[in-house]
Amino acid sequence: MNRLTQPGWVRGLLSLVFGLALGSQGLAFLQFLATKTYNPFDVGSWVLGSVVAALTFFAGAGGKKVFHLALMRGLGWQFLGTLAGGFLAEFLRALLPDMEPFGKFGFSEPAWVLGAIVGAVSFLAGAGVLTDWFKWAKGESTPEHHHDPDGWEKYFGVSLDHKVIGVQYTFTSLLLLSYGGLFALLFRTELAKSGMQFLDLNVYNTLMGLHGMVMIVSILLGIAGVMNYLVPLLLGAPDMAFPRINAFSFWIAVPAAVLLLSSMALGGFDTGWTGYPPLALRAPVGIQMFYVGVWVAGWSSILGALNLIVSVLRLRAKGMTAFKMPIFVWAAVATSIISLTATQMIGLAFQLVIFQRVVGMPFFDAAKGGNPILFQHLFWFYSHPVVYVFILPGLGIISELLPVFLRKPLFGYKWIAMSSLAIALVGFLVWAHHMFASGMNEYLRVPFMYSTLLVAVPTGVKFFSWVATIWQAKIPRDMPTPLLFVFAGIFVFLLGGLSGPPNATVSTDLHLTDTYFIVGHFHDTMFGGYVFPFFAALYYWFPKVFAKRLDEKLGKIHFWLMTPSFIFLTLGMMKIGLLGMRRRIADYDPALGFDIWHLLLTISAYLVAASVLIFFINVYKTLKNGEPVTGNVWNSRSPEWQVPSPMPAYNYDRPFEVVGEPYDYGVPGSTYVKM
Amino acid sequence: MRNLKHYLAIAVLIALVSVLTYLGMVNANLFPVEASAQAVDIDWLFNLQIKLIAFFFALIVVPIAYSMAVFRRETGDTSDSEPIESNTPLEIAWTILPLILVVWLGYIGADNLAKINAADPGALEINVVAFQWKWRFDYPQGFSSDTLYLPVDQQVLLKMTSPDVLHSFWVPEFRVKQDVVPGRVTDYRITPNRLGDYKVRCAELCGTSHAYMEAPVKIVSRAEYDQWIADQTAIAQANAAASAANPDAGRGQKLYESLGCKACHSTDGSGGIGPTWKGLYGSAVALSDGTSVSADDAYLKSSILEPGAQTVASYTAGAMPASFSNLTDGQIADLIEFMKSLK
């Protein structure tokens, strides 16, 4: 039998095994070159081997045509671009006196940095993201729209359709979510018992740092996915304002993700996701890949936010005044204002450390007039507001879905809309509450305490408005999966919110900062503000995107497995944090008596992971065997549900007009849009 | 009022759930013992926060749960809920009241911070050096210890610095935490009030062995403390005399590890923040001013005591903290003996 006539999945599986072996052992060999010890079971090599395996699986299953997809061309070019940039830097270094060529990991550190940047740009050129702009620069014209191929291939090519880009974002986000989750499971397994089990200290720190940053990028791509798909539909627009910038914003996140993961092959980094100098100045070369990866991913956020704000300002349907916009659009605007204006700060902070490491500019070296605390200000000036980037769209989803399922207007629409903006603005004034114990000027701590406590006010407005929306509503007897995730989102975000004020008042925070309490608090805000609403959105809009409805039974198993495990996980983290468990430690003193707690937390983490696996199975089964549903599945008033699923290219045949309030459920004779 | 019985019911339930949540939390064994006067004040504020948490938890959860139980859709009912759009006085109330509450909480927080920062002019000063991955405590009597001995009921002021990366001083039983920053001295003020053995645990990620950067803290009676100081001073003097008379590379190596030299100076020829000690003794050292000097006993001693006086070429002036100036002649002799052994 001819090899090529075998079914795709057999070829895919064989290629997967081949890719895993090749990838993991290739990288273990690279480690051997650097350290002179060959460890075939090196965790970092296997994780990166799995990336290679995913590609070979894809190539094996899909056959030759896979190599013509933009994704594969981009990755090939990124590889070549990295080599080109690296050799260019080595050549330039050879011209300078006293420069040792090459280094422990093949290239020297400056060569890896230049290679990484050239590689990322090469990816974009190779994938074809820049083609139209190149043509315009040469004076050639291009068609206004490009025709996407039919079927799954369009999701792997450069599309200008916001719906395709939305799915691409969401898919990439879920892929990174799986990696971030895998990293968490690895180090949670290590923590199940005191003493070091199977990870070495540097690998532990690398996994912990990557868990943080990979999840952050995953969340940024997840909200970008939901916003990209939905906002033009909600506005009644044919696409985003700048379709090519939209494609650019998505595609630049792909080489960024590759760079982030590749830090593992170059010695990792022991600094955690915050990358604080002076520790970061001593970390292995891997930290440069981490910094450059985040720097590149920042472009995605900034340009995506710009595109979204312009789209909302310019492309609203007739009659859609500010206070007639769907509430999710308000949340998307608030979140984009933060992304557009704060992301530069983390890029800059990381860039300064790159410069200090590569060319010796002593920004953070106290002995040469630098200041290590300056980095923390720059870092948190982005990294605090960005948590509102993560949660505002999720809170918007909660506000968007509650009225649909409860058949009741959203209580205090204007106040909820304004509270999103208020959170975004106050969010800019609170960054130094991460630094109460840092040694910054002591008098600064009190004003930052007040501004931080102030966040509770607009957040409270959201909670009270949700409670008033739910009060006396006819809650469905058999709760649909999206509504379950909405309710759990409210509850978990409440736990995150209520555990916040003790971190705001300075003296209590001096006990809590840098402990597991913060880890528990933070994960509650992220899951309540992002993960639960994100899953609600996936279950809710899946029939719109693919015209198939996810299985309710599996959805409920997913929900009931994930929710109690997760709540136990974070409350347990908070408890041992209060009792003395520090964050970011690979091992803990058995005398503290935390062993049993950590074992239980590890089991909970596995249950959460299992529930997400069930979600993936649900998606696979539904796409393969699901019954087509094209109608208004949830009986919503929102415009995207008034037309059959899936949406055609360029969305609505004819523009619609807004003639009423978005959430007037139960008001006789009212409609929101006239199609 | 139409829904009076529902409102009464949730009011009672909110009160009940608040109290139960509060009692549950204060009895959940959430805090380590209090071993400092500051911990007592901080725990008072924690208790206030727990009261607020319990109340707001009940305030949000009770009406939602009550709605789920009482207003659930009847089987077969497909009609919409009663449309209630908004209620401006209510919205204003739940904006203004929390605003007043947080301003009040901020005031309480600032007052509490002032209390734990209250300085006693007679505080006992101890210098702390944190380095990868050890703690060193330099007592004013001129000796160093890797255990922090503190007398009970006496305020201490720790003057902390680091030669390498950020660290953070945290004894969970003291509640207070303070980062240790290279290039500056940060203060940590605490009044231990409970006898016992505790541990300082580094709370700021400082590299691979961060988890293991712990040191014992012993809170002892005043008499025991004075005795310990007297003993340590005598031992230090005896050691100094012995070392001066008969320097020993083994003792030098111990100092190299416990004083923190290790953080910057390698013993295998590899680079670091400071020059390696391998082959250093007796070699010709190129200085940053272009001159050269032989690494003899006098040069090495002055480099330890006054690190800023001469700087080795291509290294940073001022990178080495001046905190080694209290080393005795004997300790320096031991260190030099250790350097001699590193051929």
Side-chain angles (χ1 to χ4, degrees), chain A residues 97-151:
Chain A
D98 302 332
M99 289 282 178
E100 286 210 19
F102 302 102
K104 211 166 125 179
F105 294 98
F107 288 134
S108 60
E109 183 168 327
W112 275 115
V113 173
L114 189 65
I117 294 166
V118 175
V121 177
S122 305
F123 178 98
L124 296 172
V129 181
L130 310 174
T131 311
D132 279 7
W133 289 324
F134 281 145
K135 285 187 180 163
W136 296 353
K138 285 191 289 184
E140 294 172 30
S141 63
T142 62
E144 177 70 30
H145 300 294
H146 294 268
H147 184 68
D148 288 332
D150 294 328

Side-chain angles (χ1 to χ4, degrees), chain A residues 162-163 166-167 224-233 544-545 647:
Chain A
H162 75 98
K163 297 185 293 299
V167 173
V226 177
M227 294 196 305
N228 242 287
Y229 191 88
L230 279 181
V231 168
L233 296 186
K544 189 79 238 161
V545 180
M647 286 305 264

